[in-house]
Amino acid sequence: MSIDYQEAIPKRENIKLSDLIRQLRERMEFDLQPCAAESHAENKFITEADLHRPGLALAGYTDLFTYHRIQVIGNTEVDFVNSLSPAKRAEVFDKLLNFDIPVIFLTDHNKLDQSILDLADKKNIPVYQTSVETTKFMFLLRDFLEDYFALQTMLHGTMVDVYGIGILISGKSGIGKSEVALDLLERGHRLVSDDVVMLTKKSNVLLASATEMNKHFMEIRGLGIVDVMSMFGIRAIRYQKRLEVVLKLALWEDTPNINRTGLNHDHATILGTKIPLIQLPVTPGKNITVIAEVIAMNHLLKHYGYDAAEAFQKKIKAHINDKSKVHEMPKRAIEYFEGDFE
């Protein structure tokens, strides 16, 4: 089933190298030391999250060299380069640096000859050195770039964290999404975003957050704007949460096909990712807050391999297949009632 959301926000096309270096230093706390052509970082742009280690290119094979990606030179590449004669080393890098490489990172305290750095400076190719181990550096850098270039969209609803499960409460305006979230906050759960939810797709996972404008704020009809963090404290908010369940609230007459057993699993498709969908009819007196908690706990049980609907179905099938019990009346769950004086 589809959920109403805006079209995907166009992906960012690039990030300026100088901005990337600044954010890696500030956010990731990388110690990046410039080795060559630092002034040209303003004119270089990164266009994708994939990284490249130029082992084959250093060995001379450049037919499939993805030079437009960030180049990472670690222990293996440096050991290979150091095994070459000075003349061959110069020849290899003269060929390599003829490509329009956006940047080269030297990891794990590795260094290149000053003559090679001078050549990179001459070719306007920035080179940076870091003490971070190669695998860790590539993992963190790729994760940062995947987030930067990720697909995003905005969705109308309220995102809450209930028992560690990210639930998006959706439905028509005025149906009571914010009121349910407010009641959940009173019961110790946490708000991610109200009214407008920003979704980011990373590695086939949807991460939800608020926007800069509505962060920590809620709108309660008849009351107005509420500052959740000021009123309930830091324990009542989250900056981000993985979207795991969509809870769609609707009027009874608008939900003709209600799932009675839980054996039929509906899904909402958002940015190409399927998310479990539960449609809940709203009627006077129904405690949506408690049901939301049960939805979260039931999702946890399924995650750990137990599905109550399937377990109940198996019991019914086992009873039907037992020919000796076909005509028997159902028995009590307990054979003998002890005296109960409470």
Side-chain angles (χ1 to χ4, degrees):
M1 177 172 290
S2 63
I3 291 291
D4 294 332
Y5 65 92
Q6 292 189 4
E7 290 298 319
I9 299 171
K11 293 173 64 174
R12 294 170 170 144
E13 294 184 358
N14 56 57
I15 178 173
K16 189 184 294 185
L17 178 59
S18 58
D19 291 336
L20 174 63
I21 297 297
R22 176 181 55 79
Q23 293 190 56
L24 290 179
R25 285 170 173 163
E26 293 176 358
R27 296 187 183 181
M28 314 298 286
E29 297 183 350
F30 285 164
D31 57 323
L32 296 172
Q33 304 300 324
C35 300
E38 183 185 22
S39 61
H40 290 277
E42 285 288 329
N43 306 317
K44 295 286 186 175
F45 295 89
I46 310 302
T47 58
E48 60 177 271
D50 290 328
L51 312 178
H52 186 253
R53 296 186 69 172
L56 282 176
L58 290 171
Y61 182 74
T62 58
D63 289 356
L64 299 176
F65 179 35
T66 50
Y67 63 88
H68 55 281
R69 295 176 180 171
I70 291 174
Q71 304 299 313
V72 180
I73 295 180
N75 296 329
T76 305
E77 292 81 9
V78 170
D79 284 349
F80 172 73
V81 168
N82 290 338
S83 70
L84 302 175
S85 65
K88 183 64 175 176
R89 207 178 300 164
E91 178 187 338
V92 164
F93 272 94
D94 185 59
K95 182 178 180 180
L96 185 77
L97 296 175
N98 275 329
F99 291 93
D100 187 19
I101 297 172
V103 62
I104 296 174
F105 287 109
L106 302 171
T107 60
D108 207 6
H109 292 292
N110 281 298
K111 298 179 180 180
L112 293 175
D113 293 344
Q114 187 58 46
S115 59
I116 296 173
L117 296 177
D118 290 341
L119 181 61
D121 200 61
K122 182 180 178 182
K123 300 282 187 177
N124 301 330
I125 296 176
V127 179
Y128 291 86
Q129 182 197 52
T130 179
S131 62
V132 183
E133 185 263 331
T134 307
T135 305
K136 179 181 178 182
F137 177 80
M138 292 184 70
F139 172 80
L140 293 173
L141 177 56
R142 186 182 290 113
D143 184 69
F144 176 85
L145 291 172
E146 283 180 353
D147 180 72
Y148 185 86
F149 290 114
L151 274 176
Q152 293 182 321
T153 190
M154 285 189 293
L155 205 152
H156 174 61
T158 300
M159 183 72 188
V160 287
D161 175 353
V162 182
Y163 296 130
I165 300 300
I167 299 179
L168 174 68
I169 305 172
S170 68
K172 293 181 179 178
S173 296
I175 202 164
K177 300 182 294 295
S178 298
E179 288 78 1
V180 172
L182 188 62
D183 203 11
L184 286 167
L185 293 179
E186 269 293 319
R187 297 169 70 92
H189 304 292
R190 304 165 77 183
L191 174 74
V192 179
S193 182
D194 181 57
D195 197 41
V196 178
V197 180
M198 179 74 76
L199 292 175
T200 301
K201 184 177 181 179
K202 284 185 64 177
S203 302
N204 211 35
V205 170
L206 294 178
L207 296 173
S209 68
T211 66
E212 280 296 326
M213 290 295 295
N214 73 327
K215 184 169 61 177
H216 308 157
F217 290 99
M218 292 184 72
E219 180 207 352
I220 305 298
R221 293 183 183 233
L223 174 62
I225 303 300
V226 174
D227 187 332
V228 171
M229 188 164 69
S230 297
M231 186 172 293
F232 294 94
I234 193 67
R235 64 93 184 160
I237 63 153
R238 282 197 66 155
Y239 284 98
Q240 65 178 57
K241 184 70 185 85
R242 176 178 177 173
L243 173 58
E244 292 164 280
V245 179
V246 175
L247 172 57
K248 186 173 183 179
L249 306 181
L251 298 176
W252 183 269
E253 55 268 24
D254 295 335
T255 51
N257 300 316
I258 300 299
N259 193 346
R260 297 289 299 273
T261 63
L263 291 170
N264 300 321
H265 303 296
D266 292 332
H267 291 87
T269 302
I270 304 172
L271 294 179
T273 301
K274 286 187 175 181
I275 305 294
L277 170 68
I278 295 174
Q279 298 186 77
L280 196 63
V282 177
T283 55
K286 180 173 282 190
N287 194 330
I288 307 298
T289 305
V290 173
I291 295 175
E293 291 181 324
V294 171
I295 288 170
M297 290 187 285
N298 198 43
H299 185 80
L300 280 171
L301 282 172
K302 289 180 180 179
H303 179 75
Y304 288 110
Y306 178 78
D307 190 318
E310 291 181 0
F312 186 61
Q313 185 184 47
K314 285 178 182 178
K315 289 189 70 174
I316 293 174
K317 285 183 177 180
H319 182 82
I320 293 172
N321 292 334
D322 190 341
K323 304 291 185 182
S324 64
K325 297 182 179 179
V326 170
H327 300 292
E328 287 186 8
M329 289 292 291
K331 294 181 179 179
R332 295 186 314 199
I334 185 170
E335 291 186 4
Y336 171 64
F337 281 129
E338 298 181 29
D340 191 342
F341 302 106
E342 292 186 41

